[in-house]
Amino acid sequence: MLNYQNFPHVLAVAVLAMGVAMSAAQADENRGGKYGGEDRGKPLQPAQANARWQEECSGCHIAYAPGLLPAESWRRAMDGLGKHFGTDASLTAGENKEITDFLVNNASNRWRAPTAPLRITESGWFKRKHDSREVPPDVWKNPLVKSPANCQACHTQAERGDFSERNIKLPK
Amino acid sequence: MLRKFYASSLALMVVTGLAAQPALAETPDQVLASIRGEAEKATPGFQGFSAARGEKFFKATHGNELSCTSCHTENPAAQGKHAKTGKAVQPLAPSASAERFSDPAKVEKWFKRNCNDVLGRVCTAQEKGDVLAYLLTIQK
């Protein structure tokens, strides 16, 4: 049985709920503003690392920590390993699934933008943290650096997912 | 009594020996033998592998700027360097790194990838066998 007397209450609750939802969204919007919504996640703890990822993704470069990119980036990367930055990095279907699951489950949880770059070095947070105020432009030209993707040229503990300032040493 | 003890400790030793082995480990010679089996089936009039041909193949370019030496260097007993990323690559010759050619799945995976990069196709069993025959002649 519908009680019309209660109707304004229901309406008030509904409006209130909408208001709460909207301000939460707004707060998200503000938080998501960091690096244009392209923010990295928390560092991976060594105990969480997947052995197959460690083995298979460290043959040609360091195994880049999953929190550096959003889940969709990892799905795209794992979908195109046959042509991976000009090289064949293909895996068996079973290996691919195990590694994709690991990367997606540990991807950045602070990424708000609807973007999914294939390169860490093209993301908002990376560009900001490595702009000319942080890294003098001629450092990038040093042959010891070779590519911005060569994290361990400057981050001595990059292989362990540690990018803290105390472990940065620019090559001379 | 004594015999029983012997038998059970022997069994234990065998079991622990097995457990200590990495999964499906093989020697480079076993890997070569299985590539030979492949080549005998795939190559009409198969004449065996040649280390000299393997060396030529390893050091030549095959249509683009890359050769096997771009990452593994002219000396397979030396540490290599990835041509694109600069990352160190352990020596390819089994005499210089013990783990090489001990895991058939790993061998297959990297032959497929690297041949695709260098030749734009997978390597034949003949080519793989020639290369491994060559690598097995390299002394540290």
Side-chain angles (χ1 to χ4, degrees), chain B residues 16-117:
Chain B
T16 46
L18 278 178
Q21 291 279 320
L24 300 171
E26 288 188 6
T27 66
D29 289 325
Q30 286 171 311
V31 172
L32 187 63
S34 76
I35 298 176
R36 179 171 292 113
E38 223 184 293
E40 278 162 356
K41 267 186 250 153
T43 322
F46 176 64
Q47 299 270 315
F49 295 133
S50 149
R53 204 162 47 215
E55 177 171 7
K56 244 173 102 188
F57 178 88
F58 195 82
K59 294 183 173 169
T61 55
H62 302 264
N64 61 30
E65 78 283 10
L66 289 176
S67 70
C68 308
T69 60
S70 308
C71 301
H72 296 296
T73 79
E74 291 276 330
N75 173 10
Q79 178 170 298
K81 193 169 165 215
H82 194 284
K84 294 212 171 91
T85 65
K87 186 174 190 282
V89 178
Q90 290 312 302
L92 199 53
S95 63
S97 25
E99 288 119 60
R100 290 300 186 201
F101 298 94
S102 64
D103 174 351
K106 180 172 181 185
V107 172
E108 263 316 295
K109 171 180 288 159
W110 284 98
F111 264 132
K112 171 170 179 273
R113 290 173 171 174
N114 293 341
C115 290
N116 261 335
D117 283 359

Side-chain angles (χ1 to χ4, degrees), chain A residues 56 58 60 87-88 90 95, chain B residues 85 109 112-113 116-117:
Chain A
E56 297 295 343
S58 67
C60 306
T87 197
D88 182 340
S90 52
E95 292 164 344
Chain B
T85 65
K109 171 180 288 159
K112 171 170 179 273
R113 290 173 171 174
N116 261 335
D117 283 359

Side-chain angles (χ1 to χ4, degrees), chain A residues 50-70:
Chain A
N50 172 285
R52 198 175 294 284
W53 161 74
Q54 190 70 57
E55 163 77 17
E56 297 295 343
C57 301
S58 67
C60 306
H61 47 64
I62 63 158
Y64 300 116
L68 300 172
L69 284 172

Side-chain angles (χ1 to χ4, degrees), chain A residues 35-123:
Chain A
Y35 310 124
E38 297 187 343
D39 195 4
R40 68 185 191 278
K42 288 206 189 75
L44 184 77
Q45 298 308 307
Q48 297 168 288
N50 172 285
R52 198 175 294 284
W53 161 74
Q54 190 70 57
E55 163 77 17
E56 297 295 343
C57 301
S58 67
C60 306
H61 47 64
I62 63 158
Y64 300 116
L68 300 172
L69 284 172
E72 191 52 27
S73 292
W74 292 124
R75 284 194 200 96
R76 284 181 64 206
M78 296 302 291
D79 233 20
L81 285 182
K83 287 217 175 349
H84 177 74
F85 300 96
T87 197
D88 182 340
S90 52
L91 295 168
T92 65
E95 292 164 344
N96 191 309
K97 182 173 186 318
E98 179 178 341
I99 295 173
T100 304
D101 287 350
F102 164 74
L103 290 167
V104 163
N105 288 337
N106 293 281
S108 171
N109 55 347
R110 299 193 194 117
W111 199 282
R112 300 284 180 269
T115 50
L118 282 173
R119 282 192 184 271
I120 297 158
T121 51
E122 278 168 5
S123 58

